[in-house]
Amino acid sequence: MIMSYCLACIVSLIFLPVTYSAAADCPFVPQTVLHSGKIANILFESDSKKCTDSIPSGPLETCSHEIADITFGPDVTIPNGTNVMPYIDLNVNVIGHEFISDIFVQLECLYAPNKENSYCHNHTTPILKWGKNYWPCRHHKILSNPNEVKLPIIYEHACFRMHGLSHYQMHITFVPQNCRLQYTVTLPHDFQLEPTIALHYKNDSSWKTGWSPMLTLDPNDKEFVKMHVTSNPSDNKTHITIAVYQKFKDGTKLIFDDVVAPPDKSIKFHASAGDYHAFAYVKHQECRLICNKQDLEIQTCEICNHTYLNFTLSENHLSGAQSLWKIFTTIITYLMYLILILLGFAVIIAAGIYVYYQIIRPKQLARLPPQAVEMAARPKVLIIYSDDCIEHSGVVGAFAELLQHHANAQIMIDTHNLTDPSIKPTASKIMSGETLISRRPFPELFNSAVRLIISKINDILSREGIQLQNNNHRISPSLSKFIIARFSYTDQNSIPEYFSLLPCRRIVIPKDLGLLFGYLHGVDVTQQNSLEFDADLVPLNQAILTYQQYIINNPDWLQSRFESRHTVEDEIHPREVTERLPLKSDTDKNEEAMEELATKYNISIPHDTDDDDDDDEEDQKQQSQNGKNNVEKYKLIGDLDDVSSASSDD
């Protein structure tokens, strides 16, 4: 091969330039000249294997458009004999604007509906010959001294057989630039591209006449996509319409529609990465590019002869502003997907937490044994209740004995019962002004005790900013030392409204004795995990049965426990027990609400001072004023500050 090159060089100095070609049926005429005017010494290789093996290996960058102008066109051959069909070769024209020592032109078939297209369908011969497939390749090499070569570099050759409706990828590689340009070329039916071919089939009425161009896609520019069309050989004034549709999952969208008017032969447009359909056709009044199925069936619409190109863009071809907007919309889209995914995870997690705490955890806790705690502490418990009847007092006494002996508690029982656990609570009547008939040698002290309890609770509510609410599930830690208790034979309505609104602990005796024991000894207990205790409940249960039997045998016992009123001045009508106390409000509003509460319940409200003696004086004044109304009040002996925790029984 080296001897052949040298021989070609020597002969070129004496005679005309010699062109070497491995295929005699594919003639090539060199057109690059030297500054002297002579034809440059060119080596042309048409052997596809040798051409392909000479291409630089490794990834190649995309060339700049300034390096060369490249065009493609049809080269039609009409044979004289009747036994040879007309055919079309692809003419490749490269005009280099800088020195290019090597030009490689490769043809790759992308799509071919015609089985006669040997480039695309018949690969048996090259595979058997070389062990692998080689696409058709041509190599143009300049052997002359680069300094003697005159620009432009000219490569023109027509040796690639083309078939109608086929799609071809053309790879143009340049050395020493080591870069590449790629194009996609397609053509319509042969008889639509060249009128002489249509005339050749004039005796066959199934062939339709009508011209369509060869269409070339140029995706090498980063900002634009270019399309080039060939002109009509019989009418160079023909206007060609190009329509481009982008494919989506739910259909297609028209992104470009323009007309190429002579002498222009190309258009350019922006496009993002994706799949596309392109159509090039000559628009007439008698035809349309798209016809619906019904119009085609009744032959009221004719589809224009067109050239179709299906292509894919692997990257965006947008302007600077469009690229920024594309990036922004892409980021927003992915963020939306991310937010939706996170929301989905949040919903799943929330559902899991809900199921765990509402279904799984209660079942697990229900299977846990009660807690066993050594009751070493001696909590002080003040029980306040009103003097209803001997039987109810017996129940309270049994309850107090139970706490003292089995909860290790120091029990202090105030005068008598706070609320009547029967259907008609006595506490509401007492707090409304009615007086129980005393069975003891000292007056009833219930209102004085309630006055002190309400005052202490109100101070906590105002200081902590706690709102009264009818929600037993929200417990205030500040009110943990107050426990509202009722016996099992009473209902929730027996608890006065004020105390029912307090966000504090509530128990039912004897069902919640395990909870009460835990509260008294500072153990974290729940309904499902209460404190274990070993107590004899027989006395308490017997007292409860005695009370219930007494109520059944004496249905009118409640009316006989209250004194009758004789004067209108002293009569106080029963009312609702409580209303919401003011929290975190102005001092005047708090005092006004407390005074209204005192008037409503006929009790005295203590005022905070810095001196305990002032409290005694205020109490004496209040007792003196109340004495005018013949209602004598008594102050509770002792102070709740001496008691670490308290329980209110209804």
Side-chain angles (χ1 to χ4, degrees), residues 245-488:
Y245 295 83
Q246 186 173 5
K247 294 190 296 184
F248 299 96
K249 292 182 179 179
D250 55 349
T252 59
K253 178 182 178 182
L254 179 65
I255 66 165
F256 182 82
D257 187 7
D258 201 0
V259 177
V260 180
D264 295 334
K265 292 185 178 181
S266 62
I267 52 94
K268 60 182 180 180
F269 57 92
H270 299 290
S272 58
D275 298 327
Y276 293 86
H277 301 294
F279 299 88
Y281 63 100
V282 178
K283 184 181 295 185
H284 299 287
Q285 295 182 353
E286 295 81 7
C287 69
R288 288 184 293 176
L289 179 62
I290 301 176
C291 295
N292 58 48
K293 184 177 180 180
Q294 183 178 2
D295 292 338
L296 288 174
E297 290 177 352
I298 61 177
Q299 298 182 352
T300 58
C301 179
E302 181 181 355
I303 297 178
C304 298
N305 293 325
H306 59 272
T307 305
Y308 168 75
L309 176 63
N310 182 26
F311 64 95
T312 299
L313 298 178
S314 58
E315 57 185 16
N316 298 324
H317 295 265
L318 305 173
S319 62
Q322 289 176 324
S323 297
L324 292 177
W325 176 253
K326 184 70 175 180
I327 294 173
F328 175 76
T329 55
T330 302
I331 293 175
I332 294 298
T333 301
Y334 282 111
L335 285 177
M336 292 299 296
Y337 285 133
L338 180 61
I339 291 173
L340 290 177
I341 293 174
L342 293 178
L343 287 176
F345 279 117
V347 171
I348 294 174
I349 293 173
I353 294 175
Y354 176 83
V355 171
Y356 174 75
Y357 281 100
Q358 296 297 324
I359 300 176
I360 300 176
R361 189 170 183 269
K363 292 182 178 180
Q364 292 176 343
L365 293 177
R367 294 193 295 266
L368 293 177
Q371 297 186 56
V373 178
E374 182 180 0
M375 301 180 189
R378 290 278 292 173
K380 295 180 179 180
V381 179
L382 173 63
I383 301 177
I384 300 176
Y385 64 104
S386 60
D387 181 24
D388 292 351
C389 62
I390 297 176
E391 288 73 17
H392 182 68
S393 298
V395 176
V396 177
F399 173 56
E401 290 290 333
L402 179 68
L403 294 181
Q404 183 173 355
H405 292 95
H406 297 283
N408 200 27
Q410 302 180 42
I411 305 300
M412 292 170 287
I413 302 179
D414 195 13
T415 309
H416 272 299
N417 196 13
L418 174 63
T419 57
D420 178 19
S422 65
I423 298 175
K424 299 179 179 180
T426 59
S428 301
K429 292 180 175 290
I430 297 174
M431 295 173 67
S432 299
E434 298 190 34
T435 306
L436 289 171
I437 299 174
S438 178
R439 293 194 296 262
R440 302 157 304 183
F442 53 87
E444 173 66 53
L445 299 178
F446 175 74
N447 275 350
S448 298
V450 172
R451 179 194 66 189
L452 182 61
I453 294 298
I454 292 179
S455 176
K456 291 294 184 180
I457 291 177
N458 186 66
D459 289 343
I460 296 175
L461 296 177
S462 300
R463 183 173 62 254
E464 301 293 337
I466 303 172
Q467 297 291 332
L468 292 178
Q469 57 189 351
N470 190 13
N471 185 354
N472 296 340
H473 298 290
R474 299 182 62 183
I475 305 302
S476 171
S478 302
L479 299 177
S480 60
K481 67 179 181 179
F482 298 96
I483 301 176
I484 299 175
R486 64 180 177 89
F487 289 104
S488 58

Side-chain angles (χ1 to χ4, degrees), residues 96-111:
H97 301 299
E98 59 185 73
F99 179 77
I100 304 171
S101 63
D102 297 85
I103 302 175
F104 299 90
V105 180
Q106 290 176 287
L107 178 143
E108 177 185 357
C109 184
L110 301 178
Y111 168 74

